[in-house]
């Protein structure tokens, strides 16, 4: 929530859902913010359910060296976005999808905009979501409940400030230059994710190469003996 993809959008999204100063009361603003946050949590939770319930198929995909190589490449691209080498920001579409500020405040709009925000949070949030989904799939094999709940808990963390922001409580820090350092910190973390999945891909490719070389050498020895 402290990244440049999320924090500057808070006042814009509050205006879209009719929360904050436009809500009429703190109670209604709190409820609208909570509904917005519920949309975020439900989307991440649903993504988690889809991933972990694919079961053995997803486990097979994770063991594929090409899959790990693709994930590593995705993280490299997202890291480049963190360091402003490339620009990825889908959050600007949120205000266009909201249909303009809602004077009265609509719970349906708040729920739908929360769902949209979860998908359009941009490069700042995508690495965390991908990592949590992969981790949830691994945990699910040992503890099905924890695996299913983990992405939903991520959504709750993302949703936590919204009820209070909707009620007009200004406890979130103001956007500023410091967010750039947060983004660079994310970039460094994402690079480590890329290296991790790149290493998994390398290890998965390597045994096949060794086996192939061993088979070739074996054939040569047999042919030589013959």
């Amino acid at each position: 929530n402290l990244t440049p993809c999320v924090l500057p959008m808070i006042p814009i999204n509050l205006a879209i859902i009719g929360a904050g100063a436009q809500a009429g009361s703190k109670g209604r603003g709190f409820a609208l913010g909570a509904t917005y946050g519920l949309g975020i949590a439900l989307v991440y939770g649903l993504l988690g359910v889809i991933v972990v319930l694919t079961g053995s198929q997803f486990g097979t995909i994770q063991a594929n060296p090409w899959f790990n190589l693709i994930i590593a490449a995705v993280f490299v691209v997202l890291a480049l976005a963190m360091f402003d080498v490339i620009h990825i920001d889908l959050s600007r579409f949120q205000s266009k999808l909201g249909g303009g500020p809602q004077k009265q405040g609509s719970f349906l709009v708040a729920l739908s905009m929360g769902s949209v925000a979860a998908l359009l949070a941009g490069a700042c949030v995508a690495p965390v979501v991908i990592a949590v989904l992969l981790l949830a799939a691994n945990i699910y094999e040992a503890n099905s409940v924890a695996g299913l709940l983990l992405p939903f808990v991520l959504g709750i963390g993302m949703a936590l400030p919204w009820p209070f922001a909707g009620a007009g409580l200004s406890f979130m820090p103001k956007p500023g230059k410091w967010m750039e350092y947060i983004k660079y910190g994310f970039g460094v973390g994402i690079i480590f994710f890329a290296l991790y999945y790149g290493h998994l891909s390398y290890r998965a490719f390597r045994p096949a190469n060794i086996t192939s070389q061993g088979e070739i050498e074996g054939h040569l020895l047999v042919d030589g003996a013959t």
Side-chain angles (χ1 to χ4, degrees):
N1 284 321
L2 298 179
T3 64
C5 304
V6 179
L7 187 58
M9 291 299 297
I10 289 181
I12 297 173
N13 290 339
L14 288 177
I16 291 173
I17 66 176
Q22 305 175 79
S25 69
K26 289 186 177 181
R28 183 173 177 80
F30 186 93
L32 286 167
T35 304
Y36 182 94
L38 178 63
I40 297 175
L42 287 177
V43 166
Y44 288 145
L46 181 60
L47 286 175
V49 169
I50 292 173
V51 169
V52 300
L53 289 186
T54 54
S56 59
Q57 290 88 348
F58 190 79
T60 303
I61 294 174
Q62 280 189 291
N64 188 305
W66 290 106
F67 172 79
N68 288 313
L69 185 61
I70 291 172
I71 293 297
V74 169
F75 279 133
V76 168
V77 172
L78 294 173
L80 292 175
M82 293 295 97
F83 293 112
D84 296 323
V85 177
I86 59 177
H87 185 69
I88 303 175
D89 184 13
L90 303 178
S91 60
R92 63 182 183 276
F93 294 112
Q94 289 175 230
S95 57
K96 296 179 181 179
L97 293 173
Q102 306 293 318
K103 294 182 178 180
Q104 298 296 325
S106 168
F107 289 97
L108 181 60
V109 169
L111 183 65
S112 61
M113 282 303 300
S115 303
V116 169
L119 299 174
L120 299 184
C124 298
V125 179
V128 179
V129 175
I130 294 172
V132 168
L133 292 178
L134 294 173
L135 179 61
N138 292 330
I139 291 177
Y140 181 76
E141 298 177 2
N143 188 326
S144 59
V145 176
L148 288 172
L149 288 180
L150 188 62
F152 185 72
V153 173
L154 170 67
I156 293 176
M158 289 293 297
L160 192 59
W162 285 97
F164 304 99
L169 302 178
S170 302
F171 67 95
M172 294 291 285
K174 293 183 178 180
K177 183 67 176 178
W178 61 269
M179 289 193 306
E180 294 297 320
Y181 300 108
I182 296 286
K183 189 168 67 171
Y184 296 151
F186 264 72
V188 173
I190 295 168
I191 289 174
F192 281 107
F193 276 116
L195 291 174
Y196 172 74
Y197 283 100
H199 179 65
L200 289 181
S201 177
Y202 172 75
R203 288 180 59 187
F205 274 120
R206 192 179 179 187
N209 294 334
I210 293 175
T211 301
S212 299
Q213 292 174 3
E215 290 176 353
I216 292 172
E217 291 172 358
H219 285 306
L220 290 175
L221 289 173
V222 171
D223 292 340
T226 305

